[in-house]
Amino acid sequence: MRRLHGRVVLPELLESAEPAEARRNLDDLRKINRWFGGHRVVRSLVGEAAAGAQTFSLLDVGAASGDTAAVVKRRYPRASVVSADIRPLHLESAPHPKLAADAFALPFQPRTFDFVLCSLFLHHFDDDTIVSLLAAFAATARRAVLVSDLERHPLAYYFLPATRSILRWNELTVRDGAVSVQAGFRPLELERLARAAGLHPRVRRHRPWFRLSLIAPVK
C-alpha cells in the first residue's frame, strides 16, 4: 500500500468503463457486499436509525446497481426506498423507484426523505467535496444521514488481489478495489468530515469487514 496514513483519491475505472465491463464489475461489487459485510453493515445502520419503525422513506445516493436498496426493501417492505445514481447504466438492475441524478444537484426539496444514505460513495471524493455532500444530504433528510464506507487498512487493500484466483474477480474490480481502499477512511477522519459539515455523527468500525458506518441525526 503506497500510503497508509492519509487518504489518496484517484480516479476509478468503473466511471469510464464500457457497458459490458461495468456490468461485470457491478456484479462483483454485489458479491463483495453480500459475502463480505457490506449488506450486513447497511442492515445494522438502517435498523439503528429506524429504531423499530417499519414505514419510512430513504434515498440511496450513488446507488450503483441498487443492491443496497434491495437489501433495505427486503428487511423493510413497507419503506419507500429510492435509488439515485448519475449513470443510468449502473441502475439497470436496481429496484424501482430509481432515477439518474447528480449527487451535487439532487432534484428534491429540503427534508424530502427521512434518511439519506450513501454506501461506498464518499470515498470517491476529496475531503472538501465530502463536507459539501454531507451538508447537502443533511438538508435533504428529515431524520438522519447514514454512511457506510471503507476503512483504510492493509488487509482490506490486499484482500482482492489475494483472492482473485479463487473468487474470480474481474480485473477492473481488483484495480478499483485497491484505489478505493487507499481513498477510504479512519474512524476519526470520517467523524471530522461530518462535523465540518455541521453534523453530530456517531462512527463505528465493523470488523472483520473493514467497513465504517456513520449515523448523524438531523435537527
Side-chain angles (χ1 to χ4, degrees):
M1 193 171 187
R2 290 182 295 176
R3 295 185 187 179
L4 181 62
H5 299 294
R7 301 185 62 227
V8 179
V9 182
L10 299 172
E12 296 190 16
L13 295 177
L14 175 60
E15 301 310 313
S16 58
E18 294 297 323
E21 191 76 2
R23 291 185 183 100
R24 285 192 289 269
N25 178 244
L26 291 170
D27 185 54
D28 276 351
L29 293 177
R30 283 191 291 268
K31 293 174 183 174
I32 291 168
N33 280 330
R34 186 168 65 248
W35 297 342
F36 300 108
H39 291 164
R40 182 191 298 259
V41 171
V42 166
R43 285 192 294 266
S44 173
L45 184 61
V46 174
E48 180 180 356
Q54 297 297 309
T55 303
F56 55 82
S57 58
L58 182 147
L59 173 66
D60 180 15
V61 181
S65 69
D67 62 317
T68 296
V71 165
V72 176
K73 283 294 291 183
R74 281 196 294 270
R75 178 63 64 90
Y76 301 96
R78 292 166 55 194
S80 172
V81 183
V82 177
S83 299
D85 196 279
I86 197 168
R87 296 194 71 188
L89 170 68
H90 293 177
L91 292 167
E92 282 182 344
S93 61
H96 291 280
K98 55 188 174 182
L99 76 158
D102 187 342
F104 297 93
L106 292 172
F108 302 109
Q109 295 297 316
R111 306 293 185 255
T112 298
F113 296 88
D114 290 315
F115 306 113
V116 175
L117 166 71
C118 58
S119 178
L120 300 185
F121 180 67
L122 288 186
H123 71 260
H124 293 94
F125 305 102
D126 62 40
D127 288 1
D128 289 342
T129 303
I130 290 171
V131 171
S132 297
L133 284 170
L134 289 174
F137 297 165
T140 307
R142 288 191 290 263
R143 296 176 58 183
V145 174
L146 311 177
V147 175
S148 173
D149 220 301
L150 299 172
E151 180 182 5
R152 194 172 68 253
H153 192 281
L155 290 179
Y157 181 81
Y158 290 112
F159 174 74
L160 291 178
T163 59
R164 180 179 182 180
S165 61
I166 300 171
L167 298 176
R168 302 182 183 277
W169 305 124
N170 179 266
E171 181 179 352
L172 187 154
T173 302
V174 176
R175 190 273 182 187
D176 274 4
V179 170
S180 293
V181 173
Q182 288 186 104
F185 306 93
R186 298 291 178 82
L188 289 178
E189 292 170 348
L190 187 57
E191 179 180 344
R192 175 180 58 80
L193 293 170
R195 291 192 180 280
L199 301 175
H200 299 280
R202 182 166 59 255
V203 178
R204 292 182 177 174
R205 174 186 279 132
H206 300 265
R207 296 281 179 85
W209 315 115
F210 296 102
R211 301 282 180 124
L212 301 177
S213 66
L214 176 149
I215 179 168
V218 174
K219 296 182 179 181

